[in-house]
Amino acid sequence: MKKLVNDPSDYVDEMLEGMVAAYPDRVRRLDGTKVLVRSDAPVDGKVGVVSGGGSGHEPTHAGYIGDGMLDGAAAGEVFTSPTADELNEMVRACDAGEGVLCVVKNYEGDVMNFDTAAEMAEMEDVEVAQVVVNDDVAVEDSLYTSGRRGVCGTILVHKAVGAKAADGGSLEEVQAVGEKVIDNVRTMGMALTSCITPEKGEETFDLGEDEIELGIGIHGEPGTERTEMMTADEVAEHLTENVLADLDPDDGDDVVSIVNGMGGTPLSELFIVNRKVQEILDDRGLETWDAWVGDYMTSLDMMGCSVTVCRVDDELKELLGAAVDTPALKR
Amino acid sequence: MKKLVNDPSDYVDEMLEGMVAAYPDRVRRLDGTKVLVRSDAPVDGKVGVVSGGGSGHEPTHAGYIGDGMLDGAAAGEVFTSPTADELNEMVRACDAGEGVLCVVKNYEGDVMNFDTAAEMAEMEDVEVAQVVVNDDVAVEDSLYTSGRRGVCGTILVHKAVGAKAADGGSLEEVQAVGEKVIDNVRTMGMALTSCITPEKGEETFDLGEDEIELGIGIHGEPGTERTEMMTADEVAEHLTENVLADLDPDDGDDVVSIVNGMGGTPLSELFIVNRKVQEILDDRGLETWDAWVGDYMTSLDMMGCSVTVCRVDDELKELLGAAVDTPALKR
């Protein structure tokens, strides 16, 4: 196994230690947990915004902790939900009395544990609301998921709800913004190679030398089809067309696009994909208000990418464009 | 070959088109070249700061174009120097009458072509100065290089000279800041896997399943030794100790550290390496003033990392901490 790792069972623990060592003024770890929170959490007068999920998707979620985005992020083991107890601790640590919004990716374990955590926190008089992100258009119901999976669109939810909370929005208003992004964001991904989890040390699924998988999930869950190697333009076209078919935008709509790397694909290739994505959006009469290109929601060392399109109105532009100061996203 | 690519001979061209499509308000391409410059270049009253080199190291260099960093970046073909003609065009496009500093990584082709470009620009009355970055402590003289190679420390040079130029520094002052960073920065890298260039489509060098290469260059140039797989802590220790032995800092010195990914290694692993790097710096009585963790100077899809340490005084802290607004680095 070709990884920069010590004992694989310490992978998440040591990754979190490395994050705190990198950003000691920004984040702190809740004792005895895999939860990171803003060093100044809870932030007075502000709704708390938290997320979490299995590790292996870095910089998701802890990389987005900071002003204008997340107050806390709970890490599970690789591709495994955080426990309800740890989620509850996070929610309580991020509550300044204004309530806490949980941004949940739609996986059964995450949904169940966030639900339980919310019940636990509410028993201690913390007001909790939730949004569940399900932006992946590839498949309905999958390994780990009823309904659609939550993938890279989650980052736009983090950004918008974080900005609304920073702007003094109430819990209800912050939640409404999250729902609005979810209603308007769609994603589809593909893999050139399988990821390799540190514990297992070998490929999660087999792909032939000339084979790729379309519609793949961020844990290597099956996609829509295996096919022969495609060009970057063909990949961009397949993903973008599927996303747009589902989103069904109107001519002249403003959108934010994301070409997201899966972890093992270099940035140069993502720009080659973005070239075609922008051409397609333009041909469809859509206006790209902002284009993101980079590794936002990864799957360990998997090679591949996803394409996200989010329709934005003036409110979402203001929130997505607002100042943010986190390790992984600044503006 | 598992890459998101169309015709491999269009790799750099299409990557640049994809960058311009992502950041149309930030960068523009000089017609008929592989040069990107700030959309508002030349910037009145400011020394121009430019860099360039072979492609395959993204986000280096064009990702660092923007306020407080680079005015222009010339891309060569993959791992190949830009031509002197294109470098000359870039220098002229970024000169507002205050002169232009060229930040050159120490590779023979780059040095030669930047020298020729400077002569050409000077004949047209553009004042040109140069700094040559040679931060790689691994080897003296290598494939493509006399002396030491220029690697990830280059990004700190970009940042400091860009800030000095934005602050109204003269060409001589901006150059002096570049020399100061170069005097104080050291790097060493390693590879878990070879990179694969799009034109060749196969591994540049062979590494066995349980083998890694220490001291590798960013084009796969030979390093100091091949060895059996090491743990993340052992890798961190080997690289950091070599860097510190060469830099020879004093107890209590302030430093900036970079754990840089080579392109194919996920961020989670870089944090695991950073954990140990910070422990070593701390044990050595050094104060980490700022820790960078991410992909700054890559080698296509190579798995591996490098460790950079830069000693910083008050002047460098101010410059490295100054506001910057580029696609790849913001603060």
Side-chain angles (χ1 to χ4, degrees), chain A residues 178-255:
Chain A
E179 297 294 359
K180 187 172 184 175
V181 177
I182 292 167
D183 287 345
N184 286 284
V185 68
R186 303 290 187 279
T187 299
M188 186 164 163
M190 61 78 62
L192 295 163
T193 62
S194 172
C195 51
I196 295 176
T197 58
E199 288 273 13
K200 193 172 168 206
E202 53 191 57
E203 297 183 342
T204 303
F205 56 97
D206 291 318
L207 270 181
E209 256 310 296
D210 291 315
E211 222 180 12
I212 62 176
E213 181 142 347
L214 300 169
I216 195 94
I218 54 174
H219 313 91
E221 310 97 306
T224 47
E225 57 178 312
R226 287 195 179 191
T227 174
E228 282 185 9
M229 195 65 203
M230 292 161 69
T231 65
D233 281 0
E234 287 165 348
V235 166
E237 223 169 278
H238 185 89
L239 300 181
T240 311
E241 294 299 350
N242 273 282
V243 161
L244 292 179
D246 196 274
L247 182 62
D248 195 22
D250 291 327
D251 199 61
D253 276 354
D254 287 331
V255 297

Coordinates of all heavy atoms in Angstrom, one line a residue, chain A residues 178-255:
Chain A
G178 N -30.2 26.7 3.5 CA -29.7 25.4 3.2 C -30.6 24.6 2.3 O -30.2 24.0 1.3
E179 N -31.9 24.7 2.6 CA -32.9 24.0 1.7 C -32.9 24.6 0.3 O -33.1 23.9 -0.7 CB -34.3 24.1 2.3 CG -34.5 23.4 3.6 CD -34.4 21.9 3.6 OE1 -34.2 21.3 2.5 OE2 -34.5 21.3 4.7
K180 N -32.7 25.9 0.2 CA -32.7 26.5 -1.1 C -31.6 26.1 -1.9 O -31.7 25.8 -3.1 CB -32.7 28.1 -0.9 CG -32.8 28.8 -2.2 CD -33.0 30.3 -1.8 CE -33.2 31.2 -3.0 NZ -33.5 32.6 -2.7
V181 N -30.4 26.0 -1.3 CA -29.2 25.5 -2.1 C -29.5 24.0 -2.5 O -29.3 23.7 -3.7 CB -27.9 25.5 -1.3 CG1 -26.8 24.9 -2.1 CG2 -27.6 26.9 -0.9
I182 N -30.0 23.2 -1.6 CA -30.3 21.8 -1.9 C -31.3 21.7 -3.1 O -31.1 20.8 -4.0 CB -30.8 21.1 -0.7 CG1 -29.6 21.0 0.4 CG2 -31.3 19.7 -1.0 CD1 -30.1 20.5 1.8
D183 N -32.3 22.5 -3.1 CA -33.2 22.5 -4.2 C -32.6 22.8 -5.6 O -33.2 22.5 -6.6 CB -34.4 23.5 -4.0 CG -35.3 23.1 -2.9 OD1 -35.3 21.9 -2.5 OD2 -36.1 23.9 -2.3
N184 N -31.5 23.5 -5.5 CA -30.9 24.1 -6.8 C -29.6 23.5 -7.2 O -29.0 24.0 -8.1 CB -30.8 25.6 -6.6 CG -32.1 26.3 -6.7 OD1 -32.7 26.4 -7.8 ND2 -32.7 26.7 -5.6
V185 N -29.1 22.5 -6.4 CA -27.8 22.0 -6.7 C -27.8 20.5 -7.1 O -28.5 19.7 -6.5 CB -26.8 22.2 -5.5 CG1 -27.2 21.4 -4.3 CG2 -25.3 21.9 -5.9
R186 N -27.0 20.1 -8.1 CA -27.0 18.8 -8.6 C -25.5 18.4 -9.0 O -24.8 19.3 -9.4 CB -27.8 18.6 -9.9 CG -29.2 19.0 -9.8 CD -30.1 18.0 -9.0 NE -31.5 18.3 -9.1 CZ -32.1 19.3 -8.4 NH1 -31.4 20.0 -7.5 NH2 -33.4 19.5 -8.5
T187 N -25.1 17.2 -8.8 CA -23.8 16.7 -9.0 C -23.8 15.3 -9.6 O -24.7 14.5 -9.4 CB -23.0 16.6 -7.6 OG1 -23.0 17.9 -7.0 CG2 -21.6 16.1 -7.8
M188 N -22.7 15.1 -10.4 CA -22.5 13.7 -10.8 C -21.0 13.5 -10.9 O -20.2 14.3 -11.4 CB -23.2 13.3 -12.1 CG -23.0 11.9 -12.5 SD -24.3 11.4 -13.8 CE -23.5 9.9 -14.4
G189 N -20.5 12.3 -10.5 CA -19.1 12.0 -10.5 C -18.7 10.8 -11.3 O -19.5 10.0 -11.8
M190 N -17.4 10.6 -11.4 CA -16.8 9.4 -12.2 C -15.5 9.1 -11.6 O -14.8 9.9 -11.0 CB -16.8 9.7 -13.7 CG -15.9 10.8 -14.1 SD -14.1 10.6 -14.1 CE -14.0 9.2 -15.3
A191 N -15.1 7.9 -11.8 CA -13.7 7.4 -11.3 C -12.9 6.8 -12.4 O -13.4 6.0 -13.3 CB -13.9 6.4 -10.2
L192 N -11.6 7.1 -12.4 CA -10.7 6.5 -13.3 C -10.0 5.3 -12.6 O -9.6 4.3 -13.2 CB -9.6 7.5 -13.7 CG -9.9 8.7 -14.5 CD1 -8.8 9.7 -14.4 CD2 -10.1 8.3 -16.0
T193 N -9.9 5.4 -11.3 CA -9.4 4.4 -10.4 C -10.2 4.2 -9.2 O -10.9 5.1 -8.8 CB -7.9 4.7 -10.0 OG1 -7.9 5.9 -9.2 CG2 -7.0 4.9 -11.2
S194 N -10.0 3.1 -8.5 CA -10.6 2.9 -7.2 C -9.8 3.7 -6.1 O -8.6 3.9 -6.3 CB -10.6 1.4 -6.8 OG -11.0 1.3 -5.5
C195 N -10.5 4.0 -5.0 CA -9.7 4.5 -3.9 C -9.2 3.3 -3.1 O -9.7 2.1 -3.3 CB -10.6 5.3 -3.0 SG -12.2 4.6 -2.5
I196 N -8.2 3.5 -2.3 CA -7.7 2.5 -1.4 C -7.8 2.9 0.0 O -7.2 4.0 0.4 CB -6.2 2.2 -1.8 CG1 -6.1 1.6 -3.2 CG2 -5.6 1.2 -0.7 CD1 -4.7 1.4 -3.7
T197 N -8.6 2.2 0.8 CA -8.7 2.6 2.2 C -7.5 2.2 3.0 O -7.0 1.1 2.8 CB -10.0 2.1 2.9 OG1 -10.0 0.6 2.8 CG2 -11.2 2.6 2.2
P198 N -7.1 3.0 4.0 CA -5.8 2.6 4.7 C -5.9 1.3 5.5 O -5.0 0.5 5.6 CB -5.6 3.8 5.7 CG -6.8 4.6 5.6 CD -7.6 4.3 4.4
E199 N -7.1 1.0 6.0 CA -7.3 -0.2 6.8 C -7.2 -1.5 5.9 O -6.6 -2.5 6.3 CB -8.6 -0.2 7.6 CG -8.7 0.7 8.7 CD -8.2 0.1 10.1 OE1 -7.5 -1.0 10.0 OE2 -8.4 0.8 11.1
K200 N -7.9 -1.4 4.8 CA -7.9 -2.5 3.9 C -6.6 -2.6 3.1 O -6.1 -3.7 2.8 CB -9.1 -2.4 2.9 CG -9.4 -3.7 2.2 CD -10.8 -3.6 1.4 CE -11.0 -4.7 0.5 NZ -11.8 -4.4 -0.7
G201 N -6.1 -1.5 2.6 CA -4.8 -1.5 1.9 C -4.9 -2.0 0.5 O -3.8 -2.1 -0.1
E202 N -6.1 -2.2 0.0 CA -6.2 -2.6 -1.4 C -7.4 -1.9 -2.0 O -8.2 -1.4 -1.3 CB -6.2 -4.1 -1.6 CG -7.2 -4.8 -0.8 CD -7.0 -6.3 -0.8 OE1 -5.9 -6.7 -0.4 OE2 -8.0 -7.0 -1.2
E203 N -7.5 -2.0 -3.3 CA -8.6 -1.3 -4.0 C -10.0 -1.8 -3.6 O -10.2 -3.0 -3.4 CB -8.4 -1.5 -5.5 CG -7.1 -0.9 -6.0 CD -6.9 -0.9 -7.5 OE1 -7.5 -1.7 -8.2 OE2 -6.0 -0.1 -8.0
T204 N -10.9 -0.8 -3.4 CA -12.2 -1.1 -3.0 C -13.0 -1.8 -4.1 O -13.9 -2.6 -3.8 CB -12.9 0.3 -2.6 OG1 -12.1 0.9 -1.6 CG2 -14.3 0.1 -2.1
F205 N -12.7 -1.4 -5.3 CA -13.4 -2.1 -6.4 C -12.4 -2.2 -7.6 O -11.4 -1.5 -7.6 CB -14.7 -1.4 -6.9 CG -14.4 0.1 -7.2 CD1 -14.3 0.5 -8.6 CD2 -14.4 1.1 -6.2 CE1 -14.1 1.8 -8.9 CE2 -14.2 2.4 -6.6 CZ -14.0 2.8 -7.9
D206 N -12.6 -3.1 -8.5 CA -11.7 -3.4 -9.6 C -12.1 -2.6 -10.8 O -13.3 -2.7 -11.2 CB -11.6 -4.9 -9.9 CG -11.0 -5.6 -8.8 OD1 -10.0 -5.2 -8.3 OD2 -11.5 -6.7 -8.5
L207 N -11.2 -1.9 -11.4 CA -11.5 -1.3 -12.7 C -10.3 -1.7 -13.6 O -9.2 -1.6 -13.2 CB -11.5 0.2 -12.6 CG -12.8 1.0 -12.3 CD1 -12.5 2.5 -12.2 CD2 -13.8 0.7 -13.3
G208 N -10.7 -2.2 -14.8 CA -9.6 -2.6 -15.7 C -8.8 -1.4 -16.2 O -9.2 -0.2 -16.0
E209 N -7.7 -1.7 -16.8 CA -6.7 -0.7 -17.3 C -7.4 0.4 -18.2 O -7.0 1.5 -18.2 CB -5.6 -1.4 -18.0 CG -4.3 -1.5 -17.3 CD -3.8 -0.2 -16.7 OE1 -3.5 0.8 -17.4 OE2 -3.8 -0.1 -15.4
D210 N -8.4 -0.1 -19.0 CA -9.0 0.8 -19.9 C -10.5 1.1 -19.6 O -11.3 1.5 -20.4 CB -8.9 0.3 -21.3 CG -7.5 0.2 -21.9 OD1 -6.8 1.3 -21.7 OD2 -7.1 -0.8 -22.4
E211 N -10.8 1.0 -18.3 CA -12.1 1.0 -17.9 C -12.3 2.2 -16.9 O -11.4 2.5 -16.1 CB -12.5 -0.3 -17.1 CG -13.8 -0.8 -17.4 CD -14.0 -2.1 -16.6 OE1 -13.2 -2.4 -15.7 OE2 -15.0 -2.8 -16.9
I212 N -13.5 2.9 -16.9 CA -13.8 3.9 -15.9 C -15.2 3.6 -15.5 O -15.9 2.8 -16.0 CB -13.7 5.3 -16.5 CG1 -14.7 5.5 -17.7 CG2 -12.3 5.6 -17.0 CD1 -14.8 6.9 -18.2
E213 N -15.6 4.3 -14.3 CA -16.9 4.1 -13.8 C -17.6 5.5 -13.8 O -17.1 6.4 -13.1 CB -16.9 3.4 -12.5 CG -18.4 3.2 -12.0 CD -18.6 1.9 -11.3 OE1 -17.8 1.0 -11.4 OE2 -19.7 1.8 -10.6
L214 N -18.8 5.5 -14.4 CA -19.6 6.8 -14.4 C -20.6 6.7 -13.3 O -21.2 5.7 -13.0 CB -20.3 7.0 -15.7 CG -19.3 7.0 -16.9 CD1 -20.1 6.9 -18.2 CD2 -18.5 8.3 -16.9
G215 N -20.8 7.9 -12.6 CA -21.9 7.9 -11.6 C -21.4 7.4 -10.3 O -22.3 7.1 -9.4
I216 N -20.2 7.2 -10.1 CA -19.6 6.6 -8.9 C -19.9 7.5 -7.7 O -20.1 8.7 -7.7 CB -18.0 6.5 -9.0 CG1 -17.4 5.6 -8.0 CG2 -17.4 7.9 -8.9 CD1 -17.2 4.3 -8.5
G217 N -20.0 6.9 -6.5 CA -20.2 7.6 -5.2 C -18.8 7.9 -4.6 O -17.8 7.4 -5.1
I218 N -18.8 8.7 -3.6 CA -17.5 9.1 -3.0 C -16.9 8.1 -2.0 O -15.9 8.4 -1.4 CB -17.7 10.5 -2.3 CG1 -18.8 10.5 -1.2 CG2 -17.9 11.6 -3.3 CD1 -18.8 11.7 -0.4
H219 N -17.6 7.0 -1.9 CA -17.0 5.8 -1.2 C -16.7 4.7 -2.1 O -16.6 3.5 -1.6 CB -17.9 5.4 0.0 CG -18.5 6.5 0.8 ND1 -19.7 7.1 0.5 CD2 -18.0 7.1 1.9 CE1 -19.9 8.1 1.4 NE2 -18.9 8.1 2.2
G220 N -16.8 4.9 -3.4 CA -16.6 3.9 -4.4 C -17.9 3.1 -4.5 O -17.9 2.0 -5.1
E221 N -19.1 3.6 -4.1 CA -20.3 2.9 -4.3 C -20.6 2.8 -5.8 O -20.2 3.8 -6.5 CB -21.5 3.6 -3.7 CG -21.4 4.0 -2.3 CD -20.9 5.4 -2.1 OE1 -19.9 5.8 -2.7 OE2 -21.6 6.2 -1.4
P222 N -21.2 1.8 -6.3 CA -21.4 1.6 -7.7 C -22.1 2.8 -8.3 O -22.9 3.5 -7.7 CB -22.3 0.4 -7.8 CG -22.0 -0.4 -6.5 CD -21.7 0.7 -5.5
G223 N -21.8 3.1 -9.6 CA -22.4 4.1 -10.3 C -23.4 3.6 -11.3 O -24.1 2.6 -11.1
T224 N -23.5 4.3 -12.5 CA -24.5 3.9 -13.4 C -24.0 3.0 -14.5 O -24.7 2.1 -15.0 CB -25.0 5.2 -14.2 OG1 -23.9 6.0 -14.6 CG2 -25.9 6.0 -13.3
E225 N -22.7 3.1 -14.8 CA -22.1 2.2 -15.8 C -20.6 2.2 -15.8 O -20.0 3.1 -15.5 CB -22.6 2.5 -17.2 CG -22.3 3.9 -17.7 CD -22.8 4.2 -19.1 OE1 -22.5 3.4 -20.0 OE2 -23.4 5.3 -19.3
R226 N -20.1 1.0 -16.2 CA -18.7 0.9 -16.5 C -18.5 1.0 -18.0 O -19.3 0.4 -18.7 CB -18.1 -0.4 -16.0 CG -18.0 -0.4 -14.5 CD -17.2 -1.4 -14.0 NE -17.1 -1.3 -12.6 CZ -16.3 -1.9 -11.8 NH1 -15.5 -2.8 -12.3 NH2 -16.4 -1.7 -10.5
T227 N -17.5 1.7 -18.4 CA -17.4 1.9 -19.8 C -15.9 2.0 -20.1 O -15.0 2.1 -19.3 CB -18.1 3.2 -20.2 OG1 -17.8 3.5 -21.6 CG2 -17.7 4.4 -19.4
E228 N -15.6 2.0 -21.4 CA -14.2 2.1 -21.8 C -13.7 3.5 -21.5 O -14.5 4.5 -21.4 CB -14.1 1.9 -23.3 CG -14.1 0.4 -23.7 CD -13.9 0.2 -25.2 OE1 -13.5 1.1 -25.9 OE2 -14.1 -1.0 -25.6
M229 N -12.5 3.7 -21.4 CA -11.9 5.0 -21.2 C -12.5 6.0 -22.2 O -12.7 5.7 -23.3 CB -10.3 4.9 -21.5 CG -9.5 6.0 -21.0 SD -9.5 6.2 -19.2 CE -9.1 7.9 -19.1
M230 N -12.8 7.2 -21.6 CA -13.4 8.3 -22.4 C -12.4 9.5 -22.4 O -11.6 9.6 -21.5 CB -14.7 8.7 -21.8 CG -15.8 7.7 -22.0 SD -17.2 7.9 -20.8 CE -18.0 9.4 -21.5
T231 N -12.5 10.4 -23.3 CA -11.7 11.6 -23.3 C -12.3 12.5 -22.2 O -13.4 12.4 -21.7 CB -11.8 12.4 -24.6 OG1 -13.1 12.8 -24.8 CG2 -11.3 11.5 -25.8
A232 N -11.5 13.5 -21.9 CA -11.9 14.5 -20.9 C -13.2 15.2 -21.3 O -14.1 15.5 -20.5 CB -10.8 15.6 -20.6
D233 N -13.2 15.5 -22.6 CA -14.4 16.2 -23.1 C -15.7 15.3 -23.0 O -16.8 15.8 -22.7 CB -14.2 16.6 -24.6 CG -13.4 17.9 -24.7 OD1 -13.0 18.4 -23.7 OD2 -13.1 18.3 -25.9
E234 N -15.5 14.0 -23.3 CA -16.6 13.1 -23.2 C -17.1 13.0 -21.8 O -18.3 12.9 -21.5 CB -16.2 11.7 -23.8 CG -16.1 11.7 -25.3 CD -15.4 10.5 -25.9 OE1 -14.8 9.7 -25.1 OE2 -15.5 10.3 -27.1
V235 N -16.1 12.9 -20.9 CA -16.5 12.8 -19.5 C -17.2 14.1 -19.0 O -18.3 14.0 -18.4 CB -15.2 12.6 -18.6 CG1 -15.5 12.9 -17.1 CG2 -14.6 11.2 -18.8
A236 N -16.7 15.2 -19.4 CA -17.3 16.5 -19.0 C -18.8 16.6 -19.6 O -19.7 17.0 -18.9 CB -16.5 17.7 -19.5
E237 N -18.9 16.1 -20.8 CA -20.2 16.2 -21.4 C -21.2 15.2 -20.7 O -22.3 15.6 -20.4 CB -20.0 15.7 -22.9 CG -20.8 16.6 -23.9 CD -20.4 16.2 -25.3 OE1 -19.4 16.8 -25.7 OE2 -21.0 15.4 -25.9
H238 N -20.8 14.0 -20.5 CA -21.6 13.0 -19.8 C -22.1 13.5 -18.5 O -23.3 13.5 -18.2 CB -20.9 11.7 -19.7 CG -21.8 10.6 -19.2 ND1 -22.6 9.8 -20.0 CD2 -22.1 10.2 -17.9 CE1 -23.3 9.0 -19.2 NE2 -23.0 9.2 -18.0
L239 N -21.2 14.0 -17.7 CA -21.5 14.4 -16.3 C -22.4 15.7 -16.4 O -23.5 15.8 -15.7 CB -20.3 14.7 -15.5 CG -19.3 13.5 -15.3 CD1 -18.1 13.9 -14.4 CD2 -20.0 12.3 -14.7
T240 N -22.0 16.7 -17.2 CA -22.7 17.9 -17.2 C -24.1 17.8 -17.7 O -25.1 18.3 -17.2 CB -21.9 19.0 -18.0 OG1 -20.6 19.0 -17.5 CG2 -22.5 20.4 -17.8
E241 N -24.2 17.0 -18.8 CA -25.6 16.8 -19.4 C -26.5 16.1 -18.4 O -27.7 16.4 -18.4 CB -25.4 16.0 -20.7 CG -24.7 16.7 -21.9 CD -25.4 18.0 -22.3 OE1 -26.5 18.3 -21.9 OE2 -24.7 18.7 -23.1
N242 N -26.0 15.1 -17.7 CA -26.9 14.4 -16.7 C -27.3 15.4 -15.6 O -28.4 15.4 -15.1 CB -26.1 13.2 -16.1 CG -26.3 12.0 -16.9 OD1 -27.4 11.3 -16.9 ND2 -25.4 11.7 -17.8
V243 N -26.3 16.2 -15.2 CA -26.7 17.2 -14.1 C -27.7 18.2 -14.6 O -28.7 18.5 -13.9 CB -25.3 17.9 -13.7 CG1 -25.6 19.2 -13.0 CG2 -24.5 17.0 -12.8
L244 N -27.5 18.7 -15.8 CA -28.4 19.7 -16.3 C -29.8 19.1 -16.7 O -30.8 19.8 -16.5 CB -27.8 20.3 -17.6 CG -26.6 21.2 -17.4 CD1 -26.1 21.8 -18.7 CD2 -26.9 22.4 -16.4
A245 N -29.8 17.9 -17.1 CA -31.1 17.2 -17.4 C -32.0 17.1 -16.1 O -33.2 17.3 -16.2 CB -30.9 15.8 -18.0
D246 N -31.3 16.9 -15.0 CA -32.0 16.8 -13.8 C -32.4 18.2 -13.2 O -33.5 18.4 -12.7 CB -31.2 16.0 -12.8 CG -32.0 15.5 -11.6 OD1 -32.2 16.3 -10.6 OD2 -32.6 14.4 -11.7
L247 N -31.5 19.1 -13.3 CA -31.7 20.4 -12.7 C -32.7 21.2 -13.6 O -33.5 22.0 -13.0 CB -30.3 21.2 -12.7 CG -30.3 22.6 -12.1 CD1 -30.8 22.6 -10.6 CD2 -28.9 23.2 -12.2
D248 N -32.6 21.0 -14.9 CA -33.5 21.6 -15.8 C -33.6 23.2 -15.7 O -34.6 23.8 -15.4 CB -34.9 21.1 -15.6 CG -35.9 21.4 -16.8 OD1 -35.3 21.7 -17.9 OD2 -37.1 21.4 -16.6
P249 N -32.4 23.8 -15.9 CA -32.4 25.3 -15.7 C -33.0 26.0 -16.9 O -33.1 25.4 -18.0 CB -30.9 25.6 -15.6 CG -30.3 24.5 -16.4 CD -31.1 23.3 -16.2
D250 N -33.4 27.2 -16.7 CA -34.0 28.0 -17.8 C -32.8 28.8 -18.5 O -31.8 29.1 -17.9 CB -35.0 29.0 -17.3 CG -36.2 28.4 -16.8 OD1 -36.6 27.3 -17.3 OD2 -36.8 28.9 -15.8
D251 N -33.1 29.1 -19.7 CA -32.1 29.9 -20.5 C -31.9 31.2 -19.7 O -32.8 31.8 -19.2 CB -32.8 30.2 -21.8 CG -31.8 30.6 -22.9 OD1 -30.9 29.8 -23.2 OD2 -31.9 31.8 -23.4
G252 N -30.6 31.5 -19.6 CA -30.2 32.8 -18.9 C -30.1 32.7 -17.4 O -29.7 33.6 -16.8
D253 N -30.3 31.5 -16.9 CA -30.1 31.3 -15.4 C -28.6 31.5 -15.1 O -27.7 31.1 -15.9 CB -30.5 29.9 -15.0 CG -32.0 29.8 -14.7 OD1 -32.7 30.8 -14.7 OD2 -32.4 28.6 -14.5
D254 N -28.4 32.1 -13.9 CA -27.0 32.1 -13.4 C -26.7 30.9 -12.6 O -27.5 30.4 -11.9 CB -26.9 33.3 -12.5 CG -26.8 34.7 -13.2 OD1 -26.4 34.7 -14.4 OD2 -27.3 35.7 -12.7
V255 N -25.5 30.4 -12.8 CA -25.1 29.2 -12.0 C -23.7 29.3 -11.4 O -22.9 30.1 -11.9 CB -25.1 27.9 -13.0 CG1 -26.5 27.6 -13.5 CG2 -24.1 28.0 -14.1

